[in-house]
Amino acid sequence: MTDELFREDARLASCSARVIAVDATGIRLDRTVFYPHGGGQAGDAGALTLGDGRQVPIIDTRKGASPGEIVHVPAPQADLSGLQVGSEVVAAIDWDRRHRHMRFHTATHLLCALIPHPVDGCSITAAYARLDFHMTEPLDKDALNAGLARLVAEAHPVTHRWITEDELDANPGLVRSMSVQPPRGQGRVRVMAIEGVDLQPCGGTHVASTAEIGPITVTKIEKKSAKTRRVVLGFAEPAAGGG
Ligand SMILES: [Zn+2]
């Protein structure tokens, strides 16, 4: 099992770690800041730096076959000869890329608040985010853009907490207030709150305040099918990075 440091602190850009396995699919570490592709959010890229200074570029992060397994996928030509079980490395993500994921991901929660319909698809990358809503009504791009601009300007704090299934069972009102229903069977659920705006179970990485999303716009609204409307988000200005 890998200690998932990104779950508690999405702003951690690097950590020291120990190699627990290396094979053709990739590298497993005892702890990591690399978010594995999941919940629609792209996996992190970055590098592992060995004790002698050599770097192994990581182009993607994926979940492995067993629960909790995180696979750091090296670049195809990467030299893995310096990586043995027990090797100490510094694992560092491409922070600018991840920060764009965090900004887009948090913005998709704002869309969930603005469009009260079930989500049946989601993709969050560094270049765009898209969300598919199960609905038949048309959507108004200008109204959505005005809503997003307002929620970003209002700088709502974004926080997470873990809730046990017993607490969920004891609080049907809490469950009802969530825009996405919590999964069951894992004992506890990570819940993301955008104060006064949105509450839903989510394991992804988010910014600390809606203000940190920055200028964002709906670039496209598509009718994907009779019962699906797709909303695509883009940044209104080049990202200034972050840190
Ligand atoms: Zn989320």
Side-chain angles (χ1 to χ4, degrees), residues 10 12 16 23 28 34 46 110 160 188:
L12 263 187
S16 60
D23 65 20
R28 280 87 167 153
F34 282 69
L110 300 186
H160 78 271
R188 59 178 198 158

mmCIF file of all heavy atoms in Angstrom, residues 10 12 16 23 28 34 46 110 160 188:
data_model
loop_
_atom_site.group_PDB
_atom_site.id
_atom_site.type_symbol
_atom_site.label_atom_id
_atom_site.label_comp_id
_atom_site.label_asym_id
_atom_site.label_seq_id
_atom_site.Cartn_x
_atom_site.Cartn_y
_atom_site.Cartn_z
ATOM 1 N N ALA A 10 -3.178 18.622 -1.118
ATOM 2 C CA ALA A 10 -3.068 18.681 -2.587
ATOM 3 C C ALA A 10 -1.941 19.605 -3.036
ATOM 4 O O ALA A 10 -1.572 19.615 -4.203
ATOM 5 C CB ALA A 10 -4.395 19.151 -3.184
ATOM 6 N N LEU A 12 1.180 19.590 -1.852
ATOM 7 C CA LEU A 12 2.507 18.976 -1.734
ATOM 8 C C LEU A 12 3.001 18.653 -3.134
ATOM 9 O O LEU A 12 2.408 17.837 -3.834
ATOM 10 C CB LEU A 12 2.419 17.673 -0.940
ATOM 11 C CG LEU A 12 2.738 17.648 0.541
ATOM 12 C CD1 LEU A 12 2.742 16.202 1.014
ATOM 13 C CD2 LEU A 12 4.071 18.318 0.830
ATOM 14 N N SER A 16 9.966 12.651 -0.238
ATOM 15 C CA SER A 16 10.909 11.549 -0.327
ATOM 16 C C SER A 16 10.099 10.267 -0.219
ATOM 17 O O SER A 16 9.032 10.248 0.391
ATOM 18 C CB SER A 16 11.944 11.642 0.789
ATOM 19 O OG SER A 16 11.284 11.590 2.033
ATOM 20 N N ASP A 23 8.364 -2.883 -12.086
ATOM 21 C CA ASP A 23 8.189 -3.884 -13.137
ATOM 22 C C ASP A 23 7.884 -3.173 -14.450
ATOM 23 O O ASP A 23 8.003 -1.951 -14.539
ATOM 24 C CB ASP A 23 7.122 -4.920 -12.765
ATOM 25 C CG ASP A 23 5.732 -4.307 -12.653
ATOM 26 O OD1 ASP A 23 5.500 -3.213 -13.210
ATOM 27 O OD2 ASP A 23 4.867 -4.922 -12.000
ATOM 28 N N ARG A 28 6.252 1.428 -8.052
ATOM 29 C CA ARG A 28 5.421 1.632 -6.862
ATOM 30 C C ARG A 28 6.296 2.193 -5.746
ATOM 31 O O ARG A 28 7.431 1.721 -5.562
ATOM 32 C CB ARG A 28 4.807 0.326 -6.367
ATOM 33 C CG ARG A 28 3.572 -0.132 -7.145
ATOM 34 C CD ARG A 28 3.982 -0.948 -8.318
ATOM 35 N NE ARG A 28 2.879 -1.670 -8.934
ATOM 36 C CZ ARG A 28 2.866 -2.015 -10.228
ATOM 37 N NH1 ARG A 28 3.857 -1.663 -11.035
ATOM 38 N NH2 ARG A 28 1.859 -2.689 -10.716
ATOM 39 N N PHE A 34 1.992 11.812 -6.239
ATOM 40 C CA PHE A 34 1.432 11.643 -7.586
ATOM 41 C C PHE A 34 -0.011 11.135 -7.513
ATOM 42 O O PHE A 34 -0.266 10.047 -6.998
ATOM 43 C CB PHE A 34 2.273 10.652 -8.401
ATOM 44 C CG PHE A 34 3.558 11.221 -8.963
ATOM 45 C CD1 PHE A 34 4.604 11.559 -8.118
ATOM 46 C CD2 PHE A 34 3.725 11.392 -10.325
ATOM 47 C CE1 PHE A 34 5.797 12.074 -8.629
ATOM 48 C CE2 PHE A 34 4.907 11.910 -10.849
ATOM 49 C CZ PHE A 34 5.940 12.248 -10.003
ATOM 50 N N GLY A 46 5.743 13.971 -13.851
ATOM 51 C CA GLY A 46 6.800 14.575 -13.050
ATOM 52 C C GLY A 46 8.069 13.769 -13.181
ATOM 53 O O GLY A 46 8.391 13.304 -14.279
ATOM 54 N N LEU A 110 -18.217 23.643 -9.252
ATOM 55 C CA LEU A 110 -19.080 24.826 -9.414
ATOM 56 C C LEU A 110 -20.159 24.538 -10.455
ATOM 57 O O LEU A 110 -21.323 24.924 -10.278
ATOM 58 C CB LEU A 110 -18.250 26.047 -9.830
ATOM 59 C CG LEU A 110 -17.143 26.486 -8.871
ATOM 60 C CD1 LEU A 110 -16.509 27.789 -9.364
ATOM 61 C CD2 LEU A 110 -17.673 26.663 -7.450
ATOM 62 N N HIS A 160 -11.961 19.565 2.709
ATOM 63 C CA HIS A 160 -12.424 18.179 2.684
ATOM 64 C C HIS A 160 -12.453 17.613 4.092
ATOM 65 O O HIS A 160 -11.774 18.105 4.989
ATOM 66 C CB HIS A 160 -11.522 17.317 1.788
ATOM 67 C CG HIS A 160 -10.221 16.928 2.436
ATOM 68 N ND1 HIS A 160 -9.087 17.700 2.360
ATOM 69 C CD2 HIS A 160 -9.879 15.850 3.184
ATOM 70 C CE1 HIS A 160 -8.110 17.118 3.024
ATOM 71 N NE2 HIS A 160 -8.553 15.991 3.536
ATOM 72 N N ARG A 188 -15.313 4.538 4.862
ATOM 73 C CA ARG A 188 -15.375 5.990 5.016
ATOM 74 C C ARG A 188 -15.306 6.633 3.636
ATOM 75 O O ARG A 188 -14.819 6.033 2.675
ATOM 76 C CB ARG A 188 -14.257 6.516 5.918
ATOM 77 C CG ARG A 188 -12.874 6.198 5.423
ATOM 78 C CD ARG A 188 -11.815 6.788 6.342
ATOM 79 N NE ARG A 188 -10.523 6.833 5.626
ATOM 80 C CZ ARG A 188 -9.529 7.643 5.943
ATOM 81 N NH1 ARG A 188 -9.647 8.494 6.937
ATOM 82 N NH2 ARG A 188 -8.409 7.627 5.254
#
